[in-house]
């Protein structure tokens, strides 16, 4: 089983980042919760991940809330990390 390391950064604050390690078999919801915990955020707000290309153009959306589901949008609790990570250098 692979372990992925992601760097979570903020555009406005170059010096604030977290490195999160997560198993490939875990879901994006578990990844979201790890990010929330590492930064000290609450879990009260809508959230999404986007699979992006090398130029940071948004691709597939993976959302937290069922209410936000639209066509071609995946749900975090049902989407495993390995389903969206194809290249170790992708965004």
């Amino acid at each position: 089983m692979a372990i992925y390391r992601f760097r979570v950064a903020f555009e406005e604050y170059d010096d604030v980042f977290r490195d999160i390690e997560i198993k490939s078999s875990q879901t994006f919801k578990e990844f979201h919760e790890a990010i929330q915990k590492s930064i000290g955020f609450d879990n009260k707000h809508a959230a999404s991940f986007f699979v992006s290309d090398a130029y940071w153009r948004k691709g597939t959306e993976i959302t937290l809330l069922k209410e936000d589901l639209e066509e071609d949008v995946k749900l975090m609790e049902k989407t495993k990390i390995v389903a969206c990570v194809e290249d170790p250098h992708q965004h």
Side-chain angles (χ1 to χ4, degrees), residues 45-47 61 63-71 73 75:
H45 304 284
E61 181 179 1
T63 189
L64 178 63
L65 303 173
K66 290 179 184 177
E67 298 82 34
D68 294 337
L69 280 181
E70 297 176 12
E71 191 173 327
V73 175
L75 192 59

Side-chain angles (χ1 to χ4, degrees), residues 68-89:
D68 294 337
L69 280 181
E70 297 176 12
E71 191 173 327
D72 297 328
V73 175
K74 298 179 180 188
L75 192 59
M76 282 187 205
E77 68 184 28
K78 294 184 179 186
T79 308
K80 294 192 181 279
I81 302 291
V82 71
C84 296
V85 177
E86 299 169 0
D87 177 354
H89 302 289

